[in-house]
Amino acid sequence: MTVAQQSLISPTANPELEKALRDRVDRRSAIAGGLGELEPLAVRLGLVQNSLTPRFRDPVLALFAADHGIVVDGVGAQWGRATRDQVQMALHAQLPVSVFARLQGLHLTVVDCGVADNLPPHARLLARKVAHGTRNARTALAMSLEQAHAGVRVGMEIADNLPGNVLACAALGQGSAECAALVLSRLADQPVRDFVVSGPTMRQDDLTHLLDVLHGAQARHRDAKEPMDLLAAFGGHELAVMVGAMLVAASKRSLIIVDGIAACAALKLASLICAPVTDYAVFCRSHVHRGLDEALALFHASALLELGMDSADGTGAALAWPMIRSAAALLTDLHEVAEARLAIPRPEPGAHVPTLGA
């Protein structure tokens, strides 16, 4: 792990600060009533920044885009659009996430980690292509070990150059969720089925075909266990880039917003390289998917918002951002109430006291 060991991440655990943050939040609750999930979130944000008054600046919502060779076996064609088309729609405000990000003050960036096609330049497109897609993990290594390391380095460079202290991570690309499921299945030692069953309405013949392909990939790479070996075996380029970005973001005490199963897989890989990276992560979701429930369970986490969406990844992060800002505002923008009861001034002797209608 020579690439990622450059990232030194401090755990956020700080009992003294945590007590001070909880006391601060409790004082708010004593005045206005309990604020539910905002309270532990506010404490978490204070610990991330190691501050009683956490403040966020220049938040970035990064959509990491890549193609995956496994789609040639007829899997992973969510929403029926090629990866290049998903990227172009995100860049030209034709996806809800683009509009929501603008409304909430998030800087939307699409990172070309490994889209098969060459993409035209765009102000919000970051061209960091490791390769033109991966190979089919069922028949070969999805990428070389050198490409896996290169992807992590790309992500580290991206996060190192971010001006702000918030990085929301989501993936775009056909086959991304399936490759993430392969990674999570191996890391968690759970059946890959757990991570790909979308729900009770999933067609049985679709599931059967999908599992045949994924089981074939697992059998070919049954010896891949280490994080970088898993990246090389199953892909994709967007996972590798997200791993590097998350590691450096956490080393800078930036908040990481994790949206979707691919981002969960990247975080799990990053945590095996440097465990405290998960201290800096909060979770959201853009779609209802049983496999994503399993992925979140690996972190003993739940999504900030449960809106029943079935959208491309990234939408959940854009919608959760106002909630995160509100939680931070409990600590930073809400004025303390004086302990002493405010005295009600009494009228001077002989002064006229106005009455209703006077």
Side-chain angles (χ1 to χ4, degrees), residues 8-350:
L8 300 176
I9 302 172
S10 300
T12 61
N14 184 333
E16 185 177 345
L17 174 61
E18 183 172 354
K19 182 180 185 305
L21 286 164
R22 291 190 185 281
D23 289 346
R24 197 177 182 91
V25 169
D26 287 345
R27 290 198 298 273
R28 273 63 168 158
S29 301
I31 297 164
L35 292 167
E37 293 303 317
L38 284 183
E39 296 179 9
L41 178 58
V43 173
R44 184 82 180 276
L45 299 178
L47 291 172
V48 164
Q49 289 200 1
N50 197 32
S51 170
L52 277 172
T53 54
R55 296 187 184 276
F56 297 104
R57 64 184 191 281
D58 300 323
V60 170
L61 170 53
L63 305 181
F64 296 85
D67 275 301
H68 305 78
I70 203 166
V71 300
V72 302
D73 282 333
V75 303
Q78 293 97 331
W79 304 289
R81 298 190 189 95
T83 303
R84 66 176 182 277
D85 295 333
Q86 295 178 46
V87 168
Q88 292 301 319
M89 293 178 74
L91 291 173
H92 294 92
Q94 294 171 324
L95 291 179
V97 63
S98 310
V99 176
F100 297 156
R102 187 186 72 241
L103 287 174
Q104 307 303 343
L106 289 160
H107 179 77
L108 179 72
T109 298
V110 180
V111 184
D112 177 5
C113 308
V115 179
D117 303 273
N118 289 320
L119 300 173
H122 191 282
R124 290 191 295 276
L125 177 65
L126 201 55
R128 294 292 186 274
K129 199 188 299 285
V130 178
H132 291 262
T134 62
R135 294 182 289 272
N136 185 352
R138 188 182 60 80
T139 59
L141 287 172
M143 65 178 93
S144 68
L145 195 57
E146 290 75 15
Q147 287 174 328
H149 280 282
V152 175
R153 286 194 298 269
V154 165
M156 296 177 83
E157 174 258 327
I158 289 171
D160 196 41
N161 288 316
L162 288 179
N165 58 2
V166 180
L167 176 62
C169 297
L172 282 180
Q174 291 189 340
S176 178
E178 289 72 22
C179 289
L182 286 168
V183 170
L184 289 171
S185 171
R186 183 64 52 84
L187 291 176
D189 194 24
Q190 288 181 228
V192 70
R193 176 192 176 98
D194 293 351
F195 297 100
V196 296
V197 174
S198 60
T201 60
M202 188 175 189
R203 291 177 49 184
Q204 185 60 45
D205 53 348
D206 290 342
L207 177 60
T208 300
H209 173 67
L210 175 57
L211 290 177
D212 284 345
V213 174
L214 298 184
H215 288 156
Q218 288 183 314
R220 176 163 288 274
H221 308 294
R222 60 172 56 90
D223 295 329
K225 302 244 190 304
E226 296 299 315
M228 300 307 289
D229 292 334
L230 281 173
L231 270 174
F234 299 128
H237 296 305
E238 82 287 0
L239 291 187
V241 176
M242 275 194 281
V243 167
M246 289 174 174
L247 288 169
V248 169
S251 74
K252 297 166 64 177
R253 300 199 80 102
S254 294
L255 179 69
I256 303 167
I257 305 174
V258 177
D259 186 358
I261 194 167
C264 286
L267 182 64
K268 192 66 178 175
L269 286 166
S271 72
L272 295 178
I273 296 168
C274 195
V277 67
T278 57
D279 290 0
Y280 295 85
V282 295
F283 298 83
C284 51
R285 66 191 305 161
S286 293
H287 55 96
V288 288
H289 191 288
R290 189 174 292 171
L292 184 54
D293 294 337
E294 293 291 334
L296 292 172
L298 297 180
F299 301 96
H300 307 288
S302 58
L304 294 178
L305 297 174
E306 295 281 353
L307 298 178
M309 296 186 295
D310 187 16
S311 179
D313 280 348
T315 313
L319 295 176
W321 177 237
M323 179 180 177
I324 295 169
R325 290 179 62 198
S326 298
L330 287 179
L331 299 169
T332 59
D333 295 350
L334 197 64
H335 296 168
E336 295 282 355
V337 175
E339 294 294 332
R341 185 188 298 270
L342 293 175
I344 301 175
R346 295 185 178 182
E348 294 292 333

